[in-house]
Amino acid sequence: MKAVWKGMAVAAVIGLGVSAARAETLTVYWNAGHAWDAYQAVIDKFEADNPGWTVQWEKFQWPDMRTKLIADFSVGNTPDLTAEPGGWVQEFAQQGLLKPLDDYIKADGTAMGYPDDWQDFSVKRNMIDNSYYGVQIHLTCATLVYNVDMLKEAGFDAPPKTWEEFRNVAIATTKGGRFGFAPNPVTSYYWPWLFQAGASYFDPAANKVVFDSAEAARGLQFVSDLIHKDKAAPLPVTGADYEGPQKLFTAGRAAMIITGPWDVTPIRTGNPKLNWAIAPSLTDKTQATQAGGVSLMIPAAAKHPDQAWELLKRFVALDTELAASTANGMTMPRKSWAASPEVQADPILSSFGQCLPYARDITAELRLTGKSARVEELLKTAVDEVIYNDRPAQEVLTQYAAEANKALGE
């Protein structure tokens, strides 16, 4: 009997050893602002359905994630699945750093509704040469968000519709340590103004950036003047944190900000009593804003690409989209999501949704050059020169566009 028990004990130890050897970790990089309960539930279910597997969910601000990813790519030690804020899919795919998803989509696309149930724009921005390299999980736009009470106190019963009206409201609501408008330090947040002025980023026919146009200069100068001349906006706080304007707005220290669905939950939870609303984007020469959103991609060096794809499918499932969006105010890429009763009945989601038809992808054509990262660095430097150092927008944009076009020609 002792020999039998001893044999059973040895078998148990061997069994534990086999189980431990099979234990695997799936590493996922995620934006810290999107670490929502709906996605935690997906991870919990994945782990329950796959005994021995653990999802290591690492969370970053976007700039920090990019730095980490580039370092990972350089040594071939990447996550299995990573989110990206728009533009990285095509950039990294052109460098051979991402796994093509064609075979996965061929096998599972019909069942998951991809690409037919996704907005066309959200599919194309994740493709290179007719191959898929990413799947959109959020599809967003930024628009005007305003403090209803602050505008009423200043004599405005409705939000501004034009630049002139916006400037008047911003000046009138600036007083007593409060600002009319809080700009964002992130360069992409200046593109609504440039688009509304009639500007473009890149001319693919000429292979040249055109952000030095008179229209672009006018848009950037308008924001700079709000800060330096009108004193109706503070200098944005530099750094990796894009949440500064939202925090000022939530604290009742800014009457207006330009933001998207990603800031809905922080505003709601940060100040439940705040009386705020969402307005259509402003109009100057035209009504426009920037499009954005998050995609998921699998690095070519991923250790577990098949499991990463299985987790990706769960993240972008319709029920997950609905759970994430209704709880957090995020807009999503599925056509069936937009048509769902839950979305139609939600005033926040429907309000943000109104700007999607005139939203534009900032770097859509530039990304295909494979040199967008360098150009975007130059544009960021140009914007910073105008906003922080109060240099004339036309002068600065002309200087940096020349450098960008030199880089494109090399």
Side-chain angles (χ1 to χ4, degrees):
M1 181 62 73
K2 289 182 180 179
V4 172
W5 280 108
K6 182 177 180 180
M8 292 176 65
V10 170
V13 169
I14 293 174
L16 286 172
V18 171
S19 177
R22 290 178 179 173
E24 295 284 358
T25 297
L26 194 69
T27 303
V28 178
Y29 286 3
W30 210 258
N31 177 260
H34 301 154
W36 299 327
D37 291 345
Y39 298 137
Q40 182 64 63
V42 167
I43 290 172
D44 292 344
K45 185 67 165 59
F46 178 88
E47 291 178 335
D49 292 343
N50 296 275
W53 281 84
T54 298
V55 176
Q56 184 172 312
W57 198 23
E58 300 187 20
K59 308 167 186 79
F60 306 85
Q61 295 293 348
W62 291 124
D64 298 330
M65 184 191 294
R66 182 178 177 86
T67 300
K68 181 73 164 63
L69 263 179
I70 291 174
D72 291 344
F73 284 139
S74 70
V75 297
N77 184 25
T78 65
D80 297 295
L81 178 67
T82 179
E84 60 86 52
W88 297 1
V89 168
Q90 290 173 317
E91 176 191 351
F92 293 143
Q94 287 180 316
Q95 300 174 46
L97 298 172
L98 300 184
K99 183 176 179 61
L101 304 179
D102 298 13
D103 290 343
Y104 292 130
I105 292 170
K106 182 177 179 180
D108 299 332
T110 300
M112 64 187 286
Y114 195 85
D116 293 347
D117 194 33
W118 266 248
Q119 300 289 343
D120 292 343
F121 154 72
S122 70
V123 176
K124 293 177 182 177
R125 72 198 306 253
N126 288 309
M127 297 182 70
I128 292 286
D129 296 331
N130 296 317
S131 286
Y132 303 95
Y133 288 91
V135 176
Q136 198 86 19
I137 186 172
H138 303 157
L139 186 63
T140 64
C141 63
T143 191
L144 179 63
V145 175
Y146 65 100
N147 184 310
V148 175
D149 293 335
M150 287 180 69
L151 264 65
K152 284 185 177 180
E153 289 173 7
F156 301 97
D157 293 326
K161 296 179 180 180
T162 66
W163 283 15
E164 182 179 1
E165 291 176 0
F166 182 90
R167 180 173 179 269
N168 291 336
V169 172
I171 293 172
T173 52
T174 298
K175 59 181 179 179
R178 300 189 299 180
F179 290 96
F181 173 58
N184 201 295
V186 179
T187 308
S188 61
Y189 282 83
Y190 293 90
W191 271 101
W193 306 101
L194 276 64
F195 283 145
Q196 289 160 19
S200 299
Y201 199 154
F202 177 71
D203 180 352
N207 192 38
K208 292 178 62 176
V209 299
V210 289
F211 62 66
D212 58 339
S213 66
E215 292 82 7
R218 182 170 178 272
L220 189 56
Q221 192 67 58
F222 179 82
V223 183
S224 179
D225 287 348
L226 285 170
I227 298 169
H228 297 286
K229 292 184 178 180
D230 300 325
K231 309 296 182 183
L235 275 175
V237 178
T238 59
D241 186 0
Y242 68 87
E243 300 171 339
Q246 173 271 121
K247 291 175 181 176
L248 286 174
F249 182 80
T250 302
R253 295 185 54 209
M256 297 179 291
I257 59 174
I258 304 293
T259 193
W262 49 89
D263 273 337
V264 169
T265 295
I267 294 171
R268 282 173 166 170
T269 57
N271 189 351
K273 296 182 179 180
L274 189 70
N275 185 13
W276 63 289
I278 301 163
S281 296
L282 298 169
T283 299
D284 182 55
K285 185 176 181 180
T286 187
Q287 186 179 38
T289 190
Q290 92 267 32
V294 174
S295 295
L296 300 178
M297 56 189 186
I298 300 175
K303 296 181 179 65
H304 310 294
D306 294 346
Q307 289 76 16
W309 173 254
E310 289 301 317
L311 184 58
L312 182 154
K313 288 192 300 181
R314 298 183 185 217
F315 279 135
V316 302
L318 179 59
D319 58 345
T320 305
E321 280 198 355
L322 288 169
S325 64
T326 53
N328 301 286
M330 180 58 73
T331 50
M332 302 291 183
R334 278 183 177 264
K335 298 172 185 176
S336 55
W337 171 87
S340 68
E342 295 94 331
V343 172
Q344 294 295 317
D346 189 307
I348 296 292
L349 294 175
S350 59
S351 293
F352 275 116
Q354 69 188 337
C355 74
L356 286 172
Y358 50 77
R360 307 179 191 178
D361 188 331
I362 300 169
T363 59
E365 295 168 318
L366 177 64
R367 291 197 299 270
L368 300 179
T369 67
K371 299 179 179 180
S372 60
R374 175 58 179 152
V375 173
E376 289 180 70
E377 287 175 5
L378 289 166
L379 178 60
K380 179 184 184 303
T381 302
V383 171
D384 288 350
E385 284 285 312
V386 175
I387 297 301
Y388 293 100
N389 298 331
D390 194 22
R391 288 185 59 193
Q394 186 65 74
E395 172 188 312
V396 172
L397 291 178
T398 298
Q399 173 189 341
Y400 283 94
E403 293 188 37
N405 285 322
K406 181 180 179 181
L408 285 170
E410 291 175 349

